[in-house]
Amino acid sequence: MGKIYARRLAVLATSATLTVTGLLATAPAAQAAMPTPVSAATARTYLAALTVKAEGSTTGYSRDLFPHWITQSGTCNTRETVLKRDGVNVVTDSNCAAISGSWYSEYDGATWTAASDLDIDHMVPLAEAWRSGANSWTTAQRQSFANDLTRPQLIAVTDNVNQAKGDQDPATWLPSRTAYRCTYVRAWVQVKYYWNLSVDSAEKSALQSVLNGC
């Protein structure tokens, strides 16, 4: 944090047009975040390698088939771990529940100071994964997917924005904050590629369209 702050001060010193409040409001770079997705070039390569097929059915789907949130360390489960990772000055109690902090939602640009205002979004939704191949996985595989902290699959965002996204893919839903869309689709493609999930034709077209502008 000290090095980041020092760099921020250097930026302020060389740019009279930026103020401390303006910089913090528009560039919440001091917070940690989900793992950085692959580059746009790599994402385009990954996308070209994905199997294109009609989306499957949700028959038999249940969120319970993707066990979450599992314990990550000590008393902290996956949700609590992501909240601590994605926030600034997060304070937790003895049960690892976040009792204070600040969270910037990349999807809509909102900042929250109560953990209850945040959902942990699965970048590739569980039902979307089910329709794209996860229906044939073991429960252990689905658990790993639902709690994947290594890939850019989990991110803390405004709760009602996450709920509005639901299980939609990028053909029908993208973050309202257009500055984040490139990161979003790079993450989406990386997750689908790693987990060997298929894409449907409309989804692939939407992903290509955004990536072409990255």
Side-chain angles (χ1 to χ4, degrees):
M1 290 292 288
K3 291 182 179 179
I4 292 173
Y5 187 64
R7 285 198 298 271
R8 177 172 293 158
L9 288 180
V11 170
L12 289 172
T14 57
S15 178
T17 59
L18 290 175
T19 65
V20 174
T21 54
L23 183 63
L24 291 176
T26 58
Q31 74 179 61
M34 71 176 186
T36 302
V38 295
S39 68
T42 299
R44 283 190 283 268
T45 300
Y46 284 1
L47 181 58
L50 291 178
T51 298
V52 180
K53 60 188 294 188
E55 205 166 70
S57 167
T58 52
T59 299
Y61 168 74
S62 168
R63 288 178 67 85
D64 293 340
L65 295 172
F66 293 78
H68 65 290
W69 305 109
I70 63 171
T71 300
Q72 292 292 341
S73 63
T75 60
C76 302
N77 66 24
T78 307
R79 172 183 163 82
E80 293 158 347
T81 300
V82 174
L83 283 172
K84 189 170 183 178
R85 181 198 71 187
D86 288 4
V88 176
N89 298 324
V90 178
V91 176
T92 57
D93 63 19
S94 59
N95 294 318
C96 204
I99 56 176
S100 66
S102 177
W103 292 267
Y104 178 82
S105 172
E106 295 282 8
Y107 289 2
D108 58 334
T111 298
W112 304 98
T113 56
S116 58
D117 288 319
L118 283 300
D119 277 357
I120 306 305
D121 180 41
H122 288 96
M123 178 66 62
V124 175
L126 305 183
E128 165 68 20
W130 178 270
R131 297 189 297 263
S132 305
N135 61 318
S136 65
W137 293 352
T138 64
T139 299
Q141 286 174 304
R142 289 192 286 262
Q143 175 175 293
S144 294
F145 175 81
N147 297 275
D148 188 357
L149 294 169
T150 305
R151 265 64 53 181
Q153 162 68 344
L154 299 171
I155 183 171
V157 296
T158 303
D159 54 4
N160 63 337
V161 172
N162 179 55
Q163 291 152 23
K165 171 184 171 179
D167 63 356
Q168 298 179 81
D169 69 36
T172 55
W173 192 92
L174 287 167
S176 61
R177 185 170 162 259
T178 55
Y180 196 68
R181 289 182 178 178
C182 182
T183 302
Y184 184 86
V185 299
R186 285 159 46 211
W188 182 283
V189 171
Q190 181 179 347
V191 170
K192 282 225 160 175
Y193 180 83
Y194 177 84
W195 289 97
N196 196 27
L197 296 169
S198 63
V199 290
D200 63 52
S201 56
E203 175 188 355
K204 182 174 183 178
S205 293
L207 292 165
Q208 286 176 322
S209 178
V210 177
L211 285 172
N212 285 342
C214 291

